Amino acid sequence: MAYSDKLIEHYENPRNMGSLDKNAEDVGTGLVGAPACGDVMKLQLKINDDGIIEDAKFKTFGCGSAIASSSLVTEMVKGKSIDFAEGIKNTMIAEELALPPVKIHCSVLAEDAIKAAIADYRKKQAERAATPSE
Amino acid sequence: MICWKCHERLSSLRCASCGALVPPPAQPELFGALGLDRRYHVEAEAIDGAWRRRSKDTHPDRFASASAVERRMALQWTATLNEARRVLRDPVTRAWYLATGKPHPAESGGPKLSPEFLEEIFELRMAAEDTPGAVRDTAAQLRARLDADLEDLFSRWERGEGDLSPVPERLSRLKYVDNLLRELPA
Ligand code: FES
Ligand SMILES: [Zn+2]
């Protein structure tokens, strides 16, 4: 199976590997798994009060396509708005990396992770708004 | 069952009196294809034995001079019997098949796993880099517990108690645990 140069690039030099403080108020964490293969991915977003993604980090225990997908997606969302990040579809990732059909679920994992991270951030914000400030 | 060609009573897939082949089912039930009961508890030898007997009855060589229709039926039987053997021989694909009708989990969707479970798997994968031995022990315990759970669910089901609805969730967990075990250095 021939993989695209872009995929190999991201796999060999993954961008934004690492983690952010998951307890920080401005960090949303998404932890997701791929039922088909049992791989797991953690993706974190640091979002400022204007809804701009200031930083993104990931750690993926999975195949090369999953690592490349998470690397690419963190690069795509950095400096962008939450709304933009929420609109990312796995098909965009799959197309960008030219993933073969059997590897589509790996890009689904990256989309799920972004969505989960945003949901976690929103939950934290709602909780913060609900707690009366002293 | 009665032979479609000569109406004699059948005792195998190939009619003893005229040699005609029972038409293969369009949507085969894999246990039924091998002439086995739908059970989780079945020995690999029983599956192999059933496969061997039925494969002999339906072997395309036996129908080399039969009509084109029968030759095609023999080929289809071969494919069905091989698939049945492959899916049912492995306890994991057999369990998926019994619980969902499919030998594998769906690519997406499927049972929702608790965030705590994914968290646990993620932590174990992180720890695997430093303390693979301890992680292997923990993973082996998780595996054993899931096995016992599945064993219990299927035993009760075979006695006519309870249903298999909790099975996919257990099998999904099993996938993550097995994947972790596979990634650990030997
Ligand atoms: S094979 Fe599991 S995410 Fe790619
Ligand atoms: Zn007959």
Side-chain angles (χ1 to χ4, degrees):
Chain A
M1 193 156 32
Y3 285 112
S4 69
D5 291 346
K6 185 138 192 177
L7 187 147
I8 291 163
E9 227 299 281
H10 274 278
Y11 175 64
E12 285 178 349
N13 304 296
R15 331 286 201 267
N16 308 311
M17 265 221 292
S19 65
L20 301 167
D21 175 10
K22 80 170 196 296
N23 296 315
E25 263 179 7
D26 58 351
V27 170
T29 300
L31 175 56
V32 293
C37 61
D39 289 336
V40 283
M41 177 184 291
K42 182 181 260 184
L43 197 149
Q44 298 182 296
L45 303 174
K46 182 171 152 59
I47 300 168
N48 71 18
D49 286 339
D50 300 327
I52 300 298
I53 296 165
E54 288 183 336
D55 202 2
K57 294 269 185 233
F58 79 91
K59 177 91 182 139
T60 294
F61 293 101
C63 70
S65 301
I67 290 169
S69 294
S70 33
S71 168
L72 174 76
V73 94
T74 50
E75 218 177 35
M76 281 166 82
V77 300
K78 263 181 144 183
K80 305 279 178 19
S81 69
I82 299 191
D83 292 341
F84 170 84
E86 235 174 358
I88 289 177
K89 292 272 168 294
N90 86 282
T91 45
M92 297 150 89
I93 303 164
E95 207 170 295
E96 187 78 18
L97 296 172
L99 295 182
V102 293
K103 291 276 148 184
I104 298 300
H105 77 268
C106 320
S107 63
V108 171
L109 201 56
E111 179 189 330
D112 288 351
I114 285 275
K115 298 229 152 81
I118 294 174
D120 182 55
Y121 171 77
R122 290 226 165 98
K123 201 170 121 227
K124 279 186 180 172
Q125 294 304 300
E127 275 162 15
R128 188 168 71 161
T131 24
S133 51
E134 60 267 33
Chain B
M1 221 179 355
I2 298 291
C3 174
W4 57 271
K5 210 172 185 178
C6 74
H7 306 295
E8 280 294 319
R9 194 171 294 281
L10 287 171
S11 58
S12 72
L13 293 178
R14 189 170 178 267
C15 175
S17 43
C18 77
L21 185 60
V22 172
Q27 309 280 335
E29 199 289 313
L30 298 181
F31 285 91
L34 290 175
L36 298 169
D37 291 334
R38 275 175 72 84
R39 283 173 65 88
Y40 177 68
H41 293 95
V42 51
E43 300 291 325
E45 293 78 56
I47 292 169
D48 288 346
W51 174 83
R52 215 175 301 118
R53 263 192 314 282
R54 295 216 144 177
S55 295
K56 220 168 87 200
D57 288 336
T58 60
H59 199 285
D61 285 357
R62 295 193 142 203
F63 301 90
S65 54
S67 66
V69 176
E70 274 184 276
R71 287 206 305 273
R72 203 158 47 229
M73 293 195 323
L75 281 174
Q76 205 181 317
W77 264 118
T78 301
T80 297
L81 293 174
N82 290 346
E83 189 201 352
R85 183 192 195 200
R86 197 187 56 224
V87 168
L88 301 186
R89 221 175 178 284
D90 175 343
V92 172
T93 47
R94 180 165 74 240
W96 274 112
Y97 183 69
L98 281 169
T100 69
K102 296 259 156 32
H104 298 292
E107 279 268 305
S108 56
K112 190 105 187 75
L113 299 182
S114 72
E116 291 76 29
F117 175 76
L118 281 183
E119 193 77 50
E120 184 178 14
I121 292 292
F122 190 86
E123 292 307 324
L124 285 170
R125 300 220 40 175
M126 294 280 276
E129 283 158 23
D130 302 325
T131 55
V135 170
R136 179 177 295 283
D137 291 347
T138 310
Q141 280 168 24
L142 285 173
R143 180 66 154 99
R145 217 173 313 138
L146 286 167
D147 277 339
D149 244 22
L150 284 165
E151 184 63 36
D152 183 52
L153 284 163
F154 278 111
S155 296
R156 281 193 285 140
W157 176 71
E158 284 167 6
R159 290 198 303 267
E161 303 159 23
D163 64 20
L164 298 181
S165 57
V167 167
E169 195 264 354
R170 302 301 195 286
L171 290 171
S172 288
R173 289 179 183 237
L174 201 77
K175 182 87 206 178
Y176 287 94
V177 174
D178 281 350
N179 194 29
L180 163 65
L181 281 166
R182 203 169 40 90
E183 297 286 326
L184 285 171

